[in-house]
């Protein structure tokens, strides 16, 4: 079984569905607010776990009601709660999500305890990395913490997969260092351009980011699928047409599944296909963690579309 360490955020998602997203300065009426578990780290860990990995999530929660609710939810989904740090000085992370009828969304995150996550507060991380097949991190936590985790993995020969989301403003030095010690860089179209990807098309833009250090660059393209570029390999994967309900968890489902497949040495084309299928399935369901499909669902989904 593939053993994956996930270092990242844990949030409570406060979700409101609307007929259309508001323009700047505009007020729109929506449906009743719904609380759902979220955070890129938690979402990707759940996606990896459902896909069959032995996944552990290293993150932080506040010592508050939301924190207790989120910890219980992670335990119920099969993630060990002992690797989650409780920060008595900060509230739990909160994401404000507005979803329109088409499934598109806007997300604003109040990091809370995620902003205080340090390597020192993740006491079991290095021990887990000693027997891990991969490390997956995102950037709803401090970049310095993500960098320290990546370096700890590199020292042990553990592949590092980094989802640069969100892209921090100002191009900090730690971001440059993090990308340089990354085996797989995963970004969406907006994030790729924010990292100064250049070229006439997405394959060229993916290749341009190889110059920053990663051995493999993956750009997710929403309804256009995804592209993956390495020094001697270029794979383009078309999207799987589905009726989208909520895009909130799609990127995280993609990352969780791709990280597992990459860590276990799966061919790149297969990893990209399975990850795109996971993201597509996730868009047909509400929420993020609850939308993540298991391996059997993805296998059946792909087989059905091949026939």
């Amino acid at each position: 079984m593939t053993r994956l360490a996930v270092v990242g955020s844990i949030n409570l998602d406060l979700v409101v569905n609307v007929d259309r997203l508001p323009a700047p300065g505009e007020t729109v009426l929506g449906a009743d607010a719904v609380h759902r578990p979220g955070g890129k780290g938690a979402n990707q860990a759940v996606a990896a776990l459902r896909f069959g990995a032995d996944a552990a999530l290293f993150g932080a929660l506040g010592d508050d009601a939301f924190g207790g609710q989120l910890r219980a939810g992670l335990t119920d989904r099969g993630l060990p709660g002992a690797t989650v740090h409780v920060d008595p000085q900060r509230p739990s992370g909160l994401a404000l999500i507005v979803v329109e009828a088409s499934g598109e969304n806007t997300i604003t995150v109040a990091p809370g305890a995620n902003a205080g996550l340090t390597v020192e507060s993740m006491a079991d991380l290095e021990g887990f990395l000693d027997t891990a097949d991969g490390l997956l991190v995102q950037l709803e936590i401090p970049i310095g913490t993500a960098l320290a985790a990546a370096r700890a993995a590199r020292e042990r020969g553990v592949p590092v997969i980094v989802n640069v989301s969100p892209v921090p403003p100002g191009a900090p030095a730690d971001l440059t260092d993090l990308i340089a010690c990354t085996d797989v860089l995963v970004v969406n179209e907006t994030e790729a351009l924010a990292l100064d990807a250049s070229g006439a098309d997405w394959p060229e833009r993916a290749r341009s980011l190889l110059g920053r250090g990663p051995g493999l660059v993956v750009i997710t393209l929403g309804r256009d699928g995804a592209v993956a570029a390495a020094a001697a390999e270029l794979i383009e994967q078309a999207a799987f047409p589905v009726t989208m309900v909520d895009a909130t968890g799609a990127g995280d489902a993609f990352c969780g599944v791709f990280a597992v497949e990459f860590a276990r040495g799966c061919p790149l084309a297969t990893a990209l296909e399975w990850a795109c299928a996971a993201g597509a399935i996730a868009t047909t369901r509400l929420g993020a963690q609850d939308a993540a499909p298991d391996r059997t669902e993805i296998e059946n989904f792909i087989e059905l579309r091949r026939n």
Side-chain angles (χ1 to χ4, degrees):
M1 181 182 291
T2 305
R3 192 165 164 83
L4 184 71
V6 183
V7 174
S9 58
I10 310 169
N11 293 326
L12 185 74
D13 290 348
L14 181 61
V15 185
V16 178
N17 288 87
V18 296
D19 290 334
R20 62 177 179 79
L21 298 176
E26 181 186 18
T27 298
V28 300
L29 294 178
D32 291 343
V34 178
H35 289 178
R36 294 194 181 100
K40 288 186 179 297
N43 296 345
Q44 293 180 17
V46 169
L49 186 74
R50 288 211 176 137
F51 192 57
D54 175 13
L57 172 63
F58 297 85
L61 289 168
D63 186 14
D64 52 22
F66 286 161
Q69 177 182 337
L70 290 166
R71 178 185 286 272
L74 292 171
T75 302
D76 289 345
R77 287 167 173 78
L79 289 168
T83 61
V84 176
H85 173 68
V86 177
D87 186 338
Q89 304 300 320
R90 296 174 183 261
S92 295
L94 184 67
L96 308 176
I97 303 174
V98 180
V99 183
E100 72 173 10
S102 69
E104 294 294 346
N105 61 53
T106 63
I107 303 174
T108 301
V109 175
N114 298 305
L117 183 66
T118 64
V119 170
E120 290 74 23
S121 64
M122 298 183 286
D124 299 326
L125 176 61
E126 292 192 358
F128 190 92
L129 288 174
D130 287 338
T131 58
D133 299 299
L135 168 71
L136 174 60
V137 302
Q138 326 75 30
L139 295 185
E140 286 183 340
I141 59 172
I143 303 176
T145 302
L147 176 59
R151 285 173 171 166
R154 271 293 181 91
E155 289 171 1
R156 292 162 173 78
V158 175
V160 177
I161 303 102
V162 178
N163 177 209
V164 181
S165 182
V167 177
D174 278 354
L175 177 61
T176 299
D177 293 342
L178 175 62
I179 294 174
C181 74
T182 295
D183 294 282
V184 183
L185 176 70
V186 183
V187 290
N188 63 22
E189 298 153 287
T190 301
E191 293 153 358
L193 295 176
L195 293 176
D196 297 324
S198 60
D201 55 23
W202 288 111
E204 284 189 15
R205 291 165 193 151
R207 285 196 182 281
S208 75
L209 291 175
L210 292 172
R212 300 191 62 168
L216 174 65
V217 173
V218 177
I219 302 179
T220 59
L221 304 172
R223 291 184 174 90
D224 293 323
V227 59
E233 193 170 12
L234 178 67
I235 304 292
E236 294 183 74
Q237 172 63 50
F240 292 94
V242 294
T243 301
M244 186 166 64
V245 173
D246 180 5
T248 303
D252 293 331
F254 179 101
C255 288
V257 168
F258 188 89
V260 174
E261 291 293 84
F262 179 83
R264 76 183 186 93
C266 179
L268 178 56
T270 302
L272 202 63
E273 180 183 35
W274 282 67
C276 280
I281 295 169
T283 68
T284 66
R285 304 167 178 173
L286 295 174
Q289 292 174 27
D290 292 337
D294 62 29
R295 180 178 285 273
T296 299
E297 288 179 285
I298 298 172
E299 185 174 16
N300 291 341
F301 178 88
I302 292 173
E303 186 65 26
L304 181 63
R305 278 147 182 82
R306 284 177 178 167
N307 295 331

